[in-house]
Structure formats: structure tokens, C-alpha cells
Amino acid sequence: MGIFDFLKPKTSEVNNNKIQEVVNKTNEIELTSFLNIPFGSSKEFTNEEMTKKGAVLFGEQTESTIAFNNITFGGLEVDFIIFYFYEDKFCKASVYFNVITSEFQLLDKYYSIKTNIDNKYYTSDKHYETYNYPFHKGDGQLTLGLQIKEIDIKTFWNFTNSNSNHEDDYISISLDERLNLILTYENTFLNTQYVDYYTSKRMDDF
């Protein structure tokens, strides 16, 4: 017996049951809204609903985005929440939490949010941590590694869309090079059209 064999499942059946449990939950749960604002909602409706929550417009509106601050999410302070629209249909929202430069506090908040989502929906099996040389987990250099894009940490939760012709919808949480902790809710069908449209629009300049 190897010294770490006690960490392994006693039988493959245990692991398969856990995998099947996750699959079953993703099939049962749909991601249809964010903050009770349904995907596909208009910018006007979104503005009205966020105003009712006490949120305040943040920055300039564009054809495809609208942002708000003066609001909390899950009891946590946020810098702002930005909504994305394709043809005036709400397709994605990203919550930008207050920047934290302390490695311990940053990871503590990341895993606290991850745990809350795990508990509400299901435990994600799509958590990824990448540390490029010379960085490694626990070396005390997390913030530097994130800032120079040599460390990448993110988690995904996927949800089967009720329309079998549509791809899964997603919740994701990640850390970026500016030390933003970003939580995103995405309707993949609408967001794919959003990305394709604005990618094509940018290419027109060339």
C-alpha cells in the first residue's frame, strides 16, 4: 500500500456515485435570472429593478452595458455590478467585489463565495488553479502571480438550458490581474450572440 492510498476512494463506485450526483443536479437546476432579473429582460426593466434595490447608476451607459454601485451582494460590499445586453436582452452580469491586496483575505473571500454557490446549487467539479513557474500554491506570492498573469484561479458551475438546442448556462468566479474578484452569471445562448456581434463589429474597423 502506498503512503497516500488512504486518500483514494475505497471503490470506483463511490466516485462514480458522486459524479452522477453532480450530473443529476446540473440537469435539475436551471439558471434563469440574476438578482431576480430574468435573462432576456430589457435595459429599462433592469434599471427599474436595480433602482428598487437601492442601486445607483455607475459610469456611462452604452448600447450594450449598464452598471450600478451602492449595492451589496450576498451581504458583501461590491465595487459595481455590470449588466450586458444583446439587442436589448439581458445576457450576462458580472459582480466586481472590492479589491483586496491581502492574499489571505482575497482567498478567504473567494472560497467563501464559492462555498455559498456550492451550497445553493451544487458542489462544482470545475475548480481550476494554475501556477506557472516559479510560482506555486502557498508560496505567499499570489497577488504578484495574479498581477503578471502567471497564476489563474477560477471555478465554474454549469446549468442545463430548458431549450435542448441551447448550450449550458454558467456561473463563474475568478481573480484577475487587477486583483478583482469577479462573479459572473451568463445565459450562454444570448451571450454568444453578444460576443459574436461585437467581435464582428470591431473587425469592421480593419
Side-chain angles (χ1 to χ4, degrees), residues 75-93:
L76 299 172
E77 297 291 332
V78 304
D79 279 342
F80 60 91
I81 299 175
I82 184 167
F83 291 79
Y84 297 84
F85 298 83
Y86 172 70
E87 294 185 342
D88 201 32
K89 296 183 182 69
F90 167 44
C91 62
K92 183 175 77 170

Side-chain angles (χ1 to χ4, degrees), residues 157-197:
W157 294 259
N158 61 298
F159 303 85
T160 302
N161 193 290
S162 58
N163 187 326
S164 60
N165 294 321
H166 295 176
E167 295 181 17
D168 287 356
D169 301 317
Y170 284 92
I171 295 176
S172 66
I173 185 170
S174 60
L175 299 168
D176 74 3
E177 70 276 10
R178 295 182 178 86
L179 305 184
N180 290 307
L181 196 164
I182 308 168
L183 176 64
T184 297
Y185 289 63
E186 174 187 324
N187 178 281
T188 303
F189 175 71
L190 289 172
N191 191 60
T192 298
Q193 295 177 80
Y194 169 90
V195 172
D196 290 347
Y197 174 76

Side-chain angles (χ1 to χ4, degrees), residues 116-131:
N116 285 333
I117 300 172
D118 281 341
N119 290 339
K120 179 172 182 178
Y121 299 103
Y122 67 91
T123 301
S124 173
D125 61 341
K126 296 180 177 64
H127 175 71
Y128 306 99
E129 297 188 25
T130 302
Y131 299 83

